[in-house]
Amino acid sequence: MSVPEKEPAAFDDGPTAAVEEDDETADDETEDAGDTQDADEAETPAAAEDSDEASDSDEGDAPDDADARRRPGGAHARRVTPRQRLRALVTPRANKTQALIALACLVLGFGLSVQAQSTSSASSFSSLRQSELVSVLDRLTNRQEHLRGEITRLQQEKAALSSQNGEVARKAAQDRQDTLGILAGTEPATGPGIELTVTDPHGAINAADLLNAVEELRDSGAEVLQIGSVRIGADTYFLDTDGGVIVDGHTLTPPYRVLAIGDPHTMSTAMNIPGGVLESLHRSGAEGAVTESRSLSITAVRKP
Amino acid sequence: MIAVIALAVGVVLGLVLHPTVPTWLQPYLPIAIVAAVDAIFGGFRSLLDGLFDDKVFVVSFVSNVVVAALLVFLGDHLGVGAQLSTGVVVVLGIRIFTNVAAIRRGLLKA
């Protein structure tokens, strides 16, 4: 609609291709304030000549007079470019059109700021549906119960620690020391677990394979690990060497024997899953065997 | 000019008065605002095209807002509230874009 020359064509019977595009745009998009006019003008194209003289002088006030709706945009646009209309619009005038636009803009601005405020101030819960809120509430209730239980337990522990003259405290400290010692590898440990034996007749196993096996065991819940005569700790390293693997400075040669304390069933399942440790060992030319044990004793320790 | 001033005044009013949006209105206000924005742009465009009519403008403004809110209301009660709001917003967004494009063509001839 931008080029004035095209405007009259928009209301002609046979518009050119380029103009037709503009025409469509006009019909579709101006529905808000323009659809009625479009219809009116389509019915009264002949009015174009009649109102030519009225179009120039009062384009800012145009919609005020009753004629405005029947004045075709084509005739109007012949004289007045959109820029001129904008200029006319920018000049403040106290007429009904400007007042109406102002009112609409006022309402819009008011609604905008109110909505923006309520969106920024409200929590994210306000937009959730009822079922989601119920599940959130459920989770919170569960968590609350859990935390309450923990409070009770800790309060009992605190009472026991402060009342019985240091005896309980000493025992708790000892327990803690044992646990940490086992985890750090400075204490021997006994418990249910598995024994993983890796036979490697062709020397196909390298440090990465062993590390992989150890990581798998840890993932599946191994708490204490020993490989050969070496207790595995947080800073254990694996290094390739001729005919074997160096673990923490000790040279290990096949067959490798890995002891792991933890849930035997979980760990042996983890070793046996497709694509797991045993299968990848088999693929690289070695064989692994898992034996579950009710009571496994790990005696190797790390120096503190 | 007056429109811009009125818009600013409206924003300031909203900030100062700080009214609480009633719960029943909360799902519909955003859609209604988008519809109002669409109506404003449509009106601006038709004004640049020389087709502006205040009665049509007011009616389209109000009806846009009401119909948009009504659609969302209907969708909420049919159980497709979220989808229908998305649909309404998409349609209004497309309209706003085409209106702005027409305004741009009119003003910048590009």
Side-chain angles (χ1 to χ4, degrees):
Chain A
M1 301 294 286
S2 59
V3 185
E5 295 84 71
K6 283 181 182 174
E7 297 262 336
F11 303 103
D12 281 343
D13 285 332
T16 64
V19 171
E20 189 167 16
E21 191 187 319
D22 268 4
D23 191 16
E24 276 174 22
T25 323
D27 284 338
D28 292 340
E29 296 157 13
T30 341
E31 278 164 17
D32 290 315
D35 46 2
T36 318
Q37 285 96 330
D38 280 351
D40 282 348
E41 279 133 26
E43 288 160 17
T44 60
E49 296 83 27
D50 301 338
S51 52
D52 254 354
E53 74 281 357
S55 57
D56 206 3
S57 55
D58 60 351
E59 75 277 342
D61 307 320
D64 271 349
D65 55 39
D67 260 0
R69 291 179 63 211
R70 271 177 297 285
R71 184 194 302 129
H76 200 88
R78 243 172 248 153
R79 302 257 195 98
V80 189
T81 66
R83 273 171 204 268
Q84 284 169 319
R85 289 199 189 96
L86 184 70
R87 219 165 291 138
L89 179 70
V90 166
T91 328
R93 287 184 210 182
N95 60 28
K96 217 163 91 188
T97 309
Q98 300 254 347
L100 279 171
I101 297 176
L103 186 67
C105 285
L106 190 84
V107 171
L108 175 62
F110 186 71
L112 263 179
S113 64
V114 168
Q115 175 62 25
Q117 263 179 331
S118 71
T119 306
S120 59
S121 63
S123 71
S124 56
F125 292 119
S126 64
S127 57
L128 292 184
R129 311 231 152 232
Q130 197 172 358
S131 56
E132 291 168 322
L133 287 173
V134 168
S135 72
V136 167
L137 188 64
D138 270 354
R139 270 208 303 281
L140 279 179
T141 314
N142 280 339
R143 182 152 174 74
Q144 194 188 20
E145 271 170 26
H146 181 76
L147 289 175
R148 269 189 214 288
E150 200 170 318
I151 288 175
T152 316
R153 189 178 62 75
L154 288 173
Q155 271 169 346
Q156 281 169 355
E157 203 174 309
K158 184 181 166 226
L161 285 174
S162 55
S163 66
Q164 291 174 357
N165 210 9
E167 185 53 40
V168 179
R170 206 172 301 126
K171 192 175 174 302
Q174 186 62 47
D175 282 351
R176 197 162 164 73
Q177 191 196 350
D178 290 346
T179 310
L180 291 176
I182 287 171
L183 289 178
T186 56
E187 302 272 340
T190 308
I194 63 166
E195 181 182 343
L196 170 68
T197 313
V198 181
T199 49
D200 182 19
H202 312 297
I205 294 295
N206 56 25
D209 293 324
L210 283 187
L211 178 63
N212 190 25
V214 167
E215 294 295 331
E216 280 295 330
L217 283 167
R218 271 193 183 142
D219 276 352
S220 54
E223 292 161 17
V224 186
L225 281 161
Q226 175 180 343
I227 178 163
S229 58
V230 184
R231 178 74 169 269
I232 291 175
D235 56 347
T236 299
Y237 63 87
F238 293 83
L239 210 60
D240 283 321
T241 185
D242 286 339
V245 172
I246 297 176
V247 181
D248 280 353
H250 301 264
T251 306
L252 303 183
T253 51
Y256 305 106
R257 189 162 154 267
V258 183
L259 301 176
I261 290 180
D263 180 33
H265 184 66
T266 311
M267 286 192 292
S268 70
T269 310
M271 294 299 101
N272 280 304
I273 56 167
V277 170
L278 291 187
E279 195 180 310
S280 55
L281 285 176
H282 179 73
R283 221 180 297 139
S284 50
E287 288 302 332
V290 172
T291 323
E292 292 184 28
S293 168
R294 277 176 184 278
S295 176
L296 206 64
S297 190
I298 290 187
T299 49
V301 292
R302 298 173 70 78
K303 290 197 182 72
Chain B
M1 204 61 208
I2 288 181
V4 176
I5 293 169
L7 191 68
V9 169
V11 169
V12 171
L13 266 183
L15 289 175
V16 172
L17 294 181
H18 204 301
T20 321
V21 185
T23 319
W24 58 267
L25 193 63
Q26 265 172 5
Y28 312 122
L29 188 57
I31 305 287
I33 287 175
V34 178
V37 170
D38 174 47
I40 294 277
F41 276 115
F44 187 52
R45 179 197 165 169
S46 68
L47 198 137
L48 292 186
D49 289 346
L51 303 171
F52 187 83
D53 177 77
D54 46 6
K55 195 177 114 197
V56 175
F57 175 67
V58 171
V59 169
S60 77
F61 186 90
V62 174
S63 76
N64 252 19
V65 167
V66 170
V67 166
L70 212 67
L71 268 179
V72 178
F73 173 80
L74 194 70
D76 267 348
H77 283 258
L78 293 178
V80 289
Q83 292 91 326
L84 204 55
S85 338
T86 311
V88 170
V89 168
V90 166
V91 170
L92 290 176
I94 292 172
R95 287 169 52 103
I96 289 172
F97 264 105
T98 48
N99 277 332
V100 169
I103 291 167
R104 188 201 64 217
R105 278 200 296 274
L107 289 182
L108 307 175
K109 310 225 184 300

